[in-house]
Amino acid sequence: MSTSPSLFDLEGKTALVTGAVYGIGFAIAKALAAAGATIVFNDRTQEAVDRGLAAYEAEGIPAHGYLFDVTDEDAVAVAVRTIEAEVAPIDVLVNNAGIIKRVPMVDMSADEFRQVIDVDLNAPFIVAKAIIPGMIARGGGKIINICSMMSELGRETVSAYAAAKGGLKMLTRNIASEYGEFNIQCNGIGPGYIATPQTAPLREKQPDGSRHPFDQFIIAKTPAARWGDPSDLGGPAVFLASAASDFVNGHVLYVDGGILAYIGKQP
Ligand code: NAP
Ligand code: GCO
């Protein structure tokens, strides 16, 4: 059966991608725009929003930028109302904004732990809660939560992040369970190790010019033998944002080059 091009068509759809000034969010927004979506993004500072507007303009994308912190429930509620009045109702939500703190658990303060949980788990709840009622009223919508390898695996120094991303996998499944009857599909994307500012410390060249030990580790753990590029996430995002995934719900699509399937190259 040939794949109808209309299955992946996002013409007439409006997508909010949180924290999409650069990195994975920006790449996902570019892919959604290429499929026809109108792009709305946010950041925490006006400087970042302006930087984002310039970056989208440079790509020929007439994006709409809004200033709000995804952890601020009141600000999110106002922003959603404003976006839906000024741009259009939100058909696709990508909960992308996220932080990480790499600290051994016993050295991490409770406040640091809470900060990560707040952005990486509470905020996707807050933003989805603000948008779901409108989606129900309009007959459906798409929610994509950006999960992680750490939705499945742990490692040293990322206890808060793994707890948040593990919780985000289950929040994804629960939104799918609770709102699937309203034609809302909620799925996750689980990127592998992607070359963005968030992982830059893990890829820094060593003083002797050699690759960072973690960089070498990830290459050995990835069948694709490379870090992911943010653009690798664009196609999976278009799939989960489009009619092509109307019967896919509560799924986390891992875009990891095969890490989760592989024991790792023998040293
Ligand atoms: P990044 O380069 O650090 O970008 C994160 C974005 O989120 C930034 O634009 C940041 O804005 C924004 N943000 C952070 N806190 C925010 C808040 N409270 N309100 C609004 N915006 C906020 O990260 P990335 O690598 O692109 O990752 C994007 C998402 O993918 C995150 O959820 C991350 O956990 C996840 N992920 C990343 C990888 C990877 O290997 N890179 C792999 C799996 C999953 P500011 O510029 O203002 O800080
Ligand atoms: C880390 C990395 C990872 C990636 C990503 C992997 O410190 O291990 O930052 O957590 O960001 O989440 O999927």
Side-chain angles (χ1 to χ4, degrees), residues 210-266:
S210 63
R211 299 177 77 144
H212 191 294
F214 195 90
D215 181 359
Q216 298 179 56
F217 168 67
I218 291 302
I219 297 300
K221 286 286 286 179
T222 309
R226 67 174 175 88
W227 285 71
D229 182 87
S231 63
D232 288 318
L233 299 160
V238 169
F239 166 61
L240 290 176
S242 69
S245 60
D246 279 356
F247 203 53
V248 179
N249 213 1
H251 182 76
V252 178
L253 177 55
Y254 287 97
V255 185
D256 66 356
I259 291 179
L260 282 178
Y262 186 38
I263 195 171
K265 188 173 290 299
Q266 185 178 347

Side-chain angles (χ1 to χ4, degrees), residues 50-71:
D50 293 342
R51 186 157 30 95
L53 288 169
Y56 285 105
E57 185 179 9
E59 297 284 342
I61 298 170
H64 305 264
Y66 285 82
L67 172 62
F68 64 93
D69 185 318
V70 292
T71 65

Side-chain angles (χ1 to χ4, degrees), residues 3 5 8 15 20 34 36 50 85 124 127 147 159 166 201-202 226 242 247 266:
T3 302
F8 300 89
D50 293 342
V127 182
C147 297
S159 59
L202 306 175
R226 67 174 175 88
S242 69
F247 203 53
Q266 185 178 347

Side-chain angles (χ1 to χ4, degrees), residues 17-233:
V17 186
T18 64
V21 173
Y22 53 87
I24 287 173
F26 185 71
I28 286 177
K30 281 200 296 184
L32 298 180
T38 296
I39 298 303
V40 181
F41 72 96
N42 77 299
D43 209 299
R44 290 175 289 185
T45 65
Q46 191 57 52
E47 180 278 329
V49 170
D50 293 342
R51 186 157 30 95
L53 288 169
Y56 285 105
E57 185 179 9
E59 297 284 342
I61 298 170
H64 305 264
Y66 285 82
L67 172 62
F68 64 93
D69 185 318
V70 292
T71 65
D72 181 337
E73 187 166 16
D74 292 339
V76 167
V78 168
V80 168
R81 285 198 300 272
T82 305
I83 290 165
E84 299 203 328
E86 293 181 351
V87 183
I90 296 165
D91 304 295
V92 178
L93 166 61
V94 181
N95 276 313
N96 167 78
I99 62 171
I100 192 168
K101 293 183 185 293
R102 300 184 182 96
V103 179
M105 191 183 106
V106 296
D107 299 333
M108 179 178 264
S109 70
D111 187 50
E112 286 176 314
F113 190 93
R114 274 190 289 267
Q115 286 173 38
V116 176
I117 297 294
D118 215 16
V119 179
D120 293 2
L121 179 56
N122 294 345
F125 157 78
I126 286 169
V127 182
K129 175 187 170 189
I131 291 172
I132 284 171
M135 288 183 168
I136 292 173
R138 294 188 295 274
K142 299 281 189 177
I143 298 173
I144 303 169
N145 293 323
I146 306 302
C147 297
S148 161
M149 292 289 95
M150 275 61 211
S151 297
E152 302 292 343
L153 303 170
R155 84 173 185 88
E156 299 79 4
T157 76
V158 296
S159 59
Y161 185 84
K165 294 298 188 178
L168 185 56
K169 175 177 75 172
M170 286 314 301
L171 177 63
T172 299
R173 289 180 175 168
N174 213 79
I175 291 172
S177 303
E178 194 164 5
Y179 296 105
E181 69 177 287
F182 301 105
N183 189 34
I184 291 172
Q185 290 85 50
C186 181
N187 293 285
I189 289 177
Y193 279 82
I194 312 297
T196 72
Q198 192 246 50
T199 55
L202 306 175
R203 292 176 281 109
E204 281 171 357
K205 286 286 187 204
Q206 302 301 283
D208 64 3
S210 63
R211 299 177 77 144
H212 191 294
F214 195 90
D215 181 359
Q216 298 179 56
F217 168 67
I218 291 302
I219 297 300
K221 286 286 286 179
T222 309
R226 67 174 175 88
W227 285 71
D229 182 87
S231 63
D232 288 318
L233 299 160

